[in-house]
Amino acid sequence: MQSFNHLITTRPHEVRQVLISDLHLSPEEPALVQAFLALLDDCLALPQLNRLFILGDWFEVWIGDDAYLTLSEDARQIHWLTPLIVKLKKLRIAGCEILVMHGNRDFLLGQPFCSLFGGELIYEPYYLTVGQQNYRLEHGDALCTDDKKYQFFRKMMRNRFTQWYLLNKSLTKRLAIADKLRQKSQQNNANKAAYIMDVNKDAVIQAIADSDALLHGHTHRPAIHQATADKKRYVLGDWRLLDKDSRQSKVSAVIGAVTADSDTGDNAADFELVEFKILV
């Protein structure tokens, strides 16, 4: 796996699409926010980039679009989300589509927020053609079928009535509910065996049956797996803050890139995982 301090490699004109997941952005982790802004700067400099995918858990918690949309203009000026929106909008104006998928942390994210920067909310599974192959994209939590309690929780939280019920609570109550759920999740995960929180082999085989490859995040275990004899499973990485105690922290993430040589065109496009590092 190649590692770059920036996406501006020796072949920037070949990068067509970038895929990321599990950023877990929040105001409590400003280094991750700055790393995402740095990635967007790199994306703006890629001359042939036409798509940016964010495949879930973009935010550590999302209690509803109205938490930002109802802010006054003065409040938006100093809000930590505003620089992200501004830079994403520049990327969209430059001709790059921005496609956002729900994760288990930000399932209340809506199209109204994405519309602020010209983005589009997409749903899993999403199918992407790379060269001659068909890739199935999803967040990845639905593949962890050994975790029965989580799957029940996931089904409940993805229910439209449940989401309607939550979104009709006050922002203060929603934030309290989110904090309680996050604490409970951390406690539960601490007592679970590692394999329970990873994908189930049968679930992977079923998911990949109608495609040539599977791409997901969620597990925070970036790797390339041989899912079947002729099909691969690609796992994107979470965004990790390294050297927290140093004067200049480093953020690392394993992301996906679709590249195509100008001479061969998109019909011969390739997909690869690369490690993106940025000093903050």
Side-chain angles (χ1 to χ4, degrees), residues 93-111:
I93 290 172
C96 179
E97 292 182 80
I98 303 165
L99 306 174
V100 183
M101 181 180 287
H102 288 136
N104 54 295
R105 299 273 184 172
D106 50 15
F107 54 86
L108 290 180
L109 189 66
Q111 184 58 50

Side-chain angles (χ1 to χ4, degrees), residues 22-42:
D22 299 280
L23 291 80
H24 295 274
L25 301 185
S26 73
E28 288 75 34
E29 292 286 1
L32 296 182
V33 176
Q34 291 302 315
F36 179 58
L37 290 171
L39 177 84
L40 294 180
D41 281 333
D42 285 357

Side-chain angles (χ1 to χ4, degrees), residues 54-59 61-66 68-69 81 99-117 120-123 158 163 167 174:
I54 305 174
L55 299 180
D57 283 2
W58 183 9
F59 301 107
V61 64
W62 192 263
I63 60 173
D65 292 5
D66 55 331
Y68 183 83
L69 296 177
L81 285 172
L99 306 174
V100 183
M101 181 180 287
H102 288 136
N104 54 295
R105 299 273 184 172
D106 50 15
F107 54 86
L108 290 180
L109 189 66
Q111 184 58 50
F113 178 77
C114 294
S115 295
L116 291 176
F117 52 83
E120 179 185 352
L121 194 62
I122 60 174
Y123 300 92
R158 298 298 181 105
Q163 294 187 5
L167 291 172
R174 270 181 265 165

Side-chain angles (χ1 to χ4, degrees), residues 178-190 192:
D179 287 341
K180 187 175 181 179
L181 289 174
R182 183 166 48 179
Q183 291 174 10
K184 188 175 181 180
S185 175
Q186 290 173 347
Q187 292 171 358
N188 291 338
N189 289 344
K192 290 177 182 176

Side-chain angles (χ1 to χ4, degrees), residues 61 63-64 66-67 70 166-180:
V61 64
I63 60 173
D66 55 331
T70 57
L166 289 173
L167 291 172
N168 277 276
K169 293 284 188 181
S170 69
L171 290 171
T172 303
K173 287 184 178 180
R174 270 181 265 165
L175 189 59
I177 292 171
D179 287 341
K180 187 175 181 179

